[in-house]
Amino acid sequence: MSAEIQEVRDFLAAHHPFDLLPAEVLGDVARSVQITYARRGTVLMKPGDKVDTLYVVRTGAVETRDPDGHLLARPCEGECFGVRALLRGGVAVNRIEVIEDSLLYSLSAVLFQQLRQDYSSFSYFFAAFDGGRIGDAMKVNAKDVDFLTKQVSELLTREPVTCTPDIDVRQAAQHMRDKRVSCLLITDDQGSLSGILTDRDLRGRVVAEGLDYTTPVTRVMTPNPRCVQAETLVFDAMLLMSRHNIHHLPVLKDGAVAGCLTTSTVVDSQSASPLYMAKKVHGATEVAQLKAVISQVPSLVEGLASQGANTHGIGHVVSALTDAVAVRLIHLAEAKFGPAPVPYAWLAAGSQARQEQTAVSDQDNCVILHDSYDPVAHGPYFKQVMQFVSDGLNECGYVYCPGEMMATTDKWRQPLAVWHDYFRRWIEEPDPKALMLSSIFFDLRLIHGDASLFDDLLGNVLEKCRKNRIFQAYMATNALTHRPPIGFFRNLVLISGGDHDHTMDLKHNGIVPIVDLARVYALAGGIKAVNTFERLEAAREAKVLSTDGADDLRDALEFISMIRLRHQAGRIREGLAADNYVSPDELSSFDRSHLKAAFAVVKTLQAALASAYQLGRF
Amino acid sequence: MLAKFLGPDMARWVLGWRSPPGPLKDYYRTDTATEDKPYTQVEMLAVDIETTGLDAEKDEIVSIGFVPIINGRIILAEAQHHLVRPDGKVGDEAAKVHRLLDDQLQSAAPIADILPLFLAALRGRFGVAHHALVERGFLSRACRQVWGQKLEVPFLDTLALEHRLMTRRNQSIADGALKLASCRDRYGLPRLRVHDALSDALGCAELLLAQAAHCSGKKPAAMRDLLE
């Protein structure tokens, strides 16, 4: 019987996820630790190496990079590494190098797997590692899901997609494509489940193995897969999925296949209450009612964030509510002042247009009027309507734009021809200062009115932008105004002094730089999308941006936004106003190192942009 | 004396031959690795004892902790910690230092029961201790009492090693600079919060790994370079 060493036990007990283990198990874990010391520069694993231990940094720090050299993480004191290798059958996927002399604890792979199997919370912590880049760090926070009472059957949205066992893999794949599903349930004559085939199986067991397309589906499917009953609690189903690392879970009801639960259906199911809010907006007849609904937005955001929704999703939900309020106000105005005398389009600009609002913020909007507009005959009507809408938004909390970028400003309520002329001047005779102010108008989205007016303008603008490299260079210069708060030595650069001493402005130095980069890519690629995530995706497809660049920026944006959102949710819970100033002290070392990695991504892509447009020359 | 005339290996052989059958003889019959081996390819046992005083001839061992280092890895699963029942009373001073109470010690096993466990763990391994003189002296006397023969162990002394390393680097050696905690600080090793024989043995084992890593170039240091 070996003796327990209290130092080791205490250390593990103070760190996640070991703190989740019961006391007696923790003692066994501590007893089984092996300790090594590695000097800076030691390479602990390279892709392809066999790995049979989980490492925990006792002191020091290491660096994990993927095979392309991208920095994934910098585990330091109390953090684990080697996890991905263990989750992938004991073969290293990344390169791990010691960057500070380190004392390392290691645990055997056998023990690690045993703990994952026996303790779901422990397993859940590591589930987050089994994906890839920075983005994964976020899932760790998705644990407090309020699914204790919901049944799996409530989440099933469609009939199960099934097939008989006599088809071949090609037919199976065609079926999956036609039905747009990522998994196929194979049922026998009696309709009972005999196997499951997923996208991943087609990749791993058919294509990678070089099997013939006429291979019977029964040869590559997973026979007798794990499944749950329709009455199973969603919570339990989620645990099952995470414990066994499966993404598809067939659901049975009375012995027959009732559907298939996927990880995404589980996540999607969480937006129930915003739908309810949207319904109330549509039914409102007075501004006061709208205000009452919108006053719930902070707690909605807080709730979604604590349920682990991603910021992309939250941005959509909050922006959709803003849209609904605007549309409702326009309807109320039209009811009050009568229908519009000429067609027009009411457009949102800025973050609402990008569907990236995570809080109630300033209103930015404008109006394109039909060219038949007559200022004398129609002017007063539109001025009144827009004033009503803008006042209503202001009352709901979408305060007047300090720069007056609103449809109430005469300059931003103009006929189509005038708008064409605005954009022509911005693009063909760019003036840096004017561009900085007008960049908000390069993120526009139709909220209400005549789509053809907007399409006409947008098509022309995109075409002009795509062809004009000098204009793009100006926009690129613009995109470099805000820099990530990271120094030469990868240290976080903090605001010093003032109200926000010892913090970082995650909006202006974290999110805005990425939004600005995406805008340049979009304009250079003639891309219609305005949402930053969609722009990055489209830029990748248009080959304006490398696949790695797009992935990295997306993950960086998601991560920075998530940190900001969590900070804001925390402030809301404490009854404070949400702001963007995050102190590194409120972050775990895990988050801090990921945040640094995210900032480093932004810095790298800003540098790439500068060199692509040779911005030194402007 | 024996070692001086005969060399360590011969001395061990003689001691083994003189020892009565049992744990001490078994210990001597098992060879340790040769000193030209890199430290990452040998077995060691880090050991620490707590005593009633500093005089190896008069004072007694009250606890012992040890943990093996095999191929450069400290194996906690094989760590052991034992309280030892002394023949006499524990002095107030020592009790205060070790936070061990007479009551606790009175229910512990005598050294004759503990030594076999220690010797079994030590077989084929180099000893590692911080200021090994103490461990060497006390353990040897205990063996003499139990089996009539002394204990001769090739000890790697982390204190002596640190002294050599600091001298080599032209560092001045201040008072207390060679204490276990100060040495550990120098390598960025964590502060130990618990002080018992096993924690200190582990502390010493970790220090050795750090020292050895710093003595190594492209290839890991040989035992010879670490021993004396």
Side-chain angles (χ1 to χ4, degrees):
Chain A
M1 176 63 185
S2 68
E4 178 180 303
I5 298 184
Q6 206 184 330
E7 294 279 350
V8 179
R9 185 211 168 94
D10 290 351
F11 176 76
L12 290 178
H15 290 92
H16 212 47
F18 300 98
D19 57 343
L20 303 171
L21 296 172
E24 66 280 8
V25 176
L26 191 63
D28 290 343
V29 173
R31 259 192 282 273
S32 78
V33 163
Q34 299 194 1
I35 305 175
T36 52
Y37 184 90
R39 289 202 67 182
R40 180 194 170 129
T42 311
V43 177
L44 294 168
M45 56 181 86
K46 299 188 295 299
D49 285 357
K50 270 194 76 67
V51 178
D52 56 4
T53 50
L54 171 74
Y55 287 93
V56 187
V57 180
R58 175 62 184 89
T59 54
V62 304
E63 198 169 81
T64 309
R65 287 180 184 273
D66 71 10
D68 301 329
H70 294 287
L71 181 68
L72 299 178
R74 290 204 150 170
C76 49
E77 185 166 324
E79 295 174 343
C80 300
F81 64 94
V83 177
R84 281 196 192 93
L86 295 181
L87 295 176
R88 308 270 170 88
V91 179
V93 273
N94 300 317
R95 181 189 160 91
I96 298 186
E97 184 175 327
V98 178
I99 56 169
E100 269 171 40
D101 291 356
S102 297
L103 190 65
L104 305 169
Y105 287 178
S106 44
L107 293 172
S108 77
V110 178
L111 178 71
F112 171 70
Q113 303 295 8
Q114 185 69 42
L115 292 172
R116 273 200 338 132
Q117 200 179 336
D118 292 349
Y119 302 99
S120 54
S121 49
F122 187 83
S123 145
Y124 202 95
F125 174 80
F126 289 109
F129 284 81
D130 192 22
R133 305 178 175 215
I134 319 163
D136 297 338
M138 289 168 292
K139 297 178 198 149
V140 177
N141 301 297
K143 58 189 174 195
D144 306 318
V145 182
D146 180 27
F147 273 171
L148 295 168
T149 55
K150 226 175 195 176
Q151 292 185 357
V152 167
S153 54
E154 296 174 54
L155 294 193
L156 298 178
T157 46
R158 62 182 295 170
E159 290 294 304
V161 178
T162 59
C163 71
T164 49
D166 53 2
I167 64 169
D168 62 34
V169 290
R170 184 194 184 127
Q171 289 167 311
Q174 287 168 344
H175 197 47
M176 289 165 74
R177 179 198 59 199
D178 296 344
K179 296 283 186 180
R180 306 173 67 91
V181 289
S182 57
C183 92
L184 191 59
L185 304 175
I186 294 99
T187 52
D188 62 16
D189 307 342
Q190 282 84 46
S192 61
L193 184 67
S194 61
I196 185 169
L197 182 76
T198 67
D199 275 354
R200 195 184 274 219
D201 298 336
L202 288 172
R203 181 182 63 198
R205 298 179 191 166
V206 180
V207 181
E209 297 291 326
L211 292 189
D212 206 86
Y213 292 162
T214 55
T215 309
V217 70
T218 45
R219 237 191 86 193
V220 295
M221 71 182 190
T222 305
N224 307 314
R226 273 174 218 289
C227 42
V228 290
Q229 299 300 323
E231 306 78 43
T232 310
L233 294 180
V234 175
F235 181 71
D236 292 329
M238 282 176 73
L239 283 184
L240 194 70
M241 291 165 96
S242 94
R243 181 174 311 166
H244 300 290
N245 194 19
I246 47 181
H247 299 91
H248 300 90
L249 197 56
V251 180
L252 304 181
K253 193 174 171 84
D254 305 327
V257 179
C260 188
L261 195 65
T262 63
T263 12
S264 57
T265 24
V266 173
V267 175
D268 287 350
S269 68
Q270 316 209 355
S271 40
S273 67
L275 281 180
Y276 176 73
M277 286 169 71
K279 219 165 152 186
K280 283 187 108 171
V281 167
H282 293 310
T285 51
E286 294 167 28
V287 175
Q289 291 167 317
L290 292 173
K291 187 181 174 183
V293 178
I294 293 310
S295 68
Q296 302 293 314
V297 165
S299 58
L300 169 77
V301 170
E302 197 262 325
L304 287 171
S306 70
Q307 285 171 24
N310 63 19
T311 48
H312 188 29
I314 294 176
H316 268 267
V317 167
V318 175
S319 306
L321 281 172
T322 310
D323 295 355
V325 171
V327 170
R328 191 65 204 147
L329 284 167
I330 294 168
H331 284 155
L332 292 176
E334 286 181 353
K336 187 169 176 188
F337 303 107
V342 298
Y344 72 101
W346 196 93
L347 310 177
S351 63
Q352 185 191 349
R354 294 193 307 269
Q355 296 178 286
E356 288 164 13
Q357 290 182 313
T358 52
V360 177
S361 54
D362 299 356
Q363 50 171 302
D364 299 305
N365 47 61
C366 60
V367 159
I368 308 175
L369 299 160
H370 192 265
D371 282 334
S372 59
Y373 168 77
D374 173 358
V376 179
H378 311 136
Y381 170 85
F382 282 108
K383 191 162 178 84
Q384 260 178 341
V385 167
M386 294 316 145
Q387 195 64 52
F388 179 90
V389 173
S390 180
D391 290 348
L393 285 170
N394 184 60
E395 202 167 317
C396 288
Y398 303 99
V399 296
Y400 299 123
C401 167
E404 310 215 307
M405 305 281 192
M406 296 181 292
T408 44
T409 307
D410 293 343
K411 190 177 177 190
W412 309 127
R413 191 180 68 251
Q414 291 291 335
L416 182 60
V418 178
W419 278 105
H420 273 300
D421 194 50
Y422 285 167
F423 276 100
R424 187 192 56 73
R425 260 189 289 144
W426 287 332
I427 296 165
E428 289 172 5
E429 303 150 22
D431 157 30
K433 200 166 166 218
L435 260 192
M436 192 157 337
L437 293 174
S438 59
S439 70
I440 197 169
F441 288 119
F442 286 88
D443 301 342
L444 288 178
R445 188 164 55 90
L446 179 76
I447 303 298
H448 174 83
D450 190 338
S452 64
L453 290 171
F454 179 52
D455 290 345
D456 184 305
L457 179 66
L458 186 66
N460 187 285
V461 167
L462 287 178
E463 185 62 16
K464 277 199 169 75
C465 291
R466 195 174 56 80
K467 287 184 181 157
N468 193 325
R469 217 171 145 76
I470 293 174
F471 165 75
Q472 291 167 21
Y474 274 101
M475 290 301 277
T477 310
N478 230 349
L480 304 182
T481 334
H482 297 286
R483 303 277 183 161
I486 186 159
F488 185 73
F489 295 105
R490 289 184 54 92
N491 50 320
L492 293 173
V493 177
L494 303 177
I495 298 170
S496 146
D499 291 346
H500 306 297
D501 190 30
H502 196 67
T503 61
M504 300 167 277
D505 180 347
L506 286 193
K507 182 180 175 192
H508 288 101
N509 299 115
I511 293 169
V512 168
I514 301 177
V515 169
D516 287 350
L517 281 172
R519 184 183 302 113
V520 177
Y521 303 138
L523 295 178
I527 292 162
K528 263 189 176 175
V530 285
N531 177 268
T532 301
F533 288 102
E534 289 166 17
R535 275 176 166 170
L536 292 174
E537 188 53 43
R540 174 223 305 271
E541 276 163 21
K543 302 212 180 338
V544 185
L545 177 63
S546 71
T547 299
D548 281 344
D551 283 347
D552 286 348
L553 272 182
R554 182 200 62 215
D555 288 346
L557 176 60
E558 185 63 52
F559 191 78
I560 297 169
S561 311
M562 189 273 293
I563 295 282
R564 175 172 81 141
L565 202 61
R566 238 171 33 197
H567 165 79
Q568 294 179 337
R571 286 189 60 99
I572 292 165
R573 270 195 298 275
E574 288 169 25
L576 301 167
D579 67 14
N580 298 305
Y581 298 96
V582 174
S583 158
D585 302 337
E586 65 185 89
L587 304 175
S588 69
S589 54
F590 184 70
D591 287 342
R592 264 203 305 275
S593 65
H594 278 88
L595 198 56
K596 284 185 196 171
F599 288 147
V601 161
V602 179
K603 195 174 174 181
T604 307
L605 283 151
Q606 283 189 336
L609 190 73
S611 93
Y613 286 100
Q614 299 180 313
L615 291 184
R617 293 166 57 184
F618 284 89
Chain B
M1 285 297 272
L2 266 177
K4 241 183 213 160
F5 290 121
L6 303 175
D9 288 347
M10 202 59 188
R12 284 168 59 86
W13 185 85
V14 172
L15 287 166
W17 178 68
R18 283 186 192 164
S19 301
L24 189 61
K25 200 179 194 72
D26 294 345
Y27 165 70
Y28 281 127
R29 290 261 165 92
T30 313
D31 283 334
T32 46
T34 52
E35 295 179 9
D36 59 334
K37 279 261 163 52
Y39 78 98
T40 48
Q41 289 176 27
V42 304
E43 302 201 0
M44 302 181 250
L45 186 76
V47 55
D48 183 70
I49 56 172
E50 292 177 323
T51 59
T52 55
L54 288 174
D55 186 341
E57 294 308 314
K58 263 181 13 215
D59 294 315
E60 296 187 81
I61 297 175
V62 292
S63 75
I64 180 169
F66 46 87
V67 58
I69 309 166
I70 299 177
N71 303 339
R73 305 176 75 84
I74 301 170
I75 313 291
L76 295 194
E78 294 179 31
Q80 294 187 39
H81 188 211
H82 302 283
L83 298 186
V84 181
R85 186 171 78 215
D87 289 336
K89 276 226 158 201
V90 182
D92 283 349
E93 280 309 304
K96 239 184 262 164
V97 172
H98 305 315
R99 293 185 211 90
L100 293 174
L101 303 173
D102 260 348
D103 286 357
Q104 270 179 297
L105 293 175
Q106 290 316 318
S107 56
I111 190 74
D113 291 358
I114 304 297
L115 272 180
L117 299 172
F118 169 68
L119 289 173
L122 188 64
R123 242 185 305 187
R125 291 172 175 167
F126 292 93
V128 179
H130 197 70
H131 195 37
L133 202 63
V134 175
E135 278 70 21
R136 210 192 278 274
F138 277 86
L139 291 166
S140 190
R141 174 174 156 245
C143 286
R144 278 206 318 270
Q145 286 175 335
V146 179
W147 294 291
Q149 292 298 328
K150 67 172 182 172
L151 180 66
E152 184 70 42
V153 184
F155 255 110
L156 199 162
D157 187 340
T158 49
L159 184 146
L161 177 57
E162 187 66 8
H163 188 274
R164 286 204 305 283
L165 291 175
M166 289 181 75
T167 313
R168 198 187 296 168
R169 294 183 212 118
N170 288 324
Q171 282 170 300
S172 61
I173 301 173
D175 263 5
L178 293 175
K179 280 187 179 165
L180 181 59
S182 319
C183 294
R184 287 174 59 89
D185 272 354
R186 227 165 281 133
Y187 295 91
L189 295 170
R191 290 272 163 91
L192 295 174
R193 284 174 304 129
V194 181
H195 284 286
D196 57 30
L198 180 53
S199 291
D200 284 346
L202 174 64
C204 169
E206 290 175 348
L207 174 61
L208 171 71
L209 289 185
Q211 289 172 323
H214 282 259
C215 286
S216 301
K218 283 225 167 78
K219 286 187 183 151
M223 284 309 285
R224 181 192 301 120
D225 306 328
L226 304 173
L227 280 162
E228 294 299 333

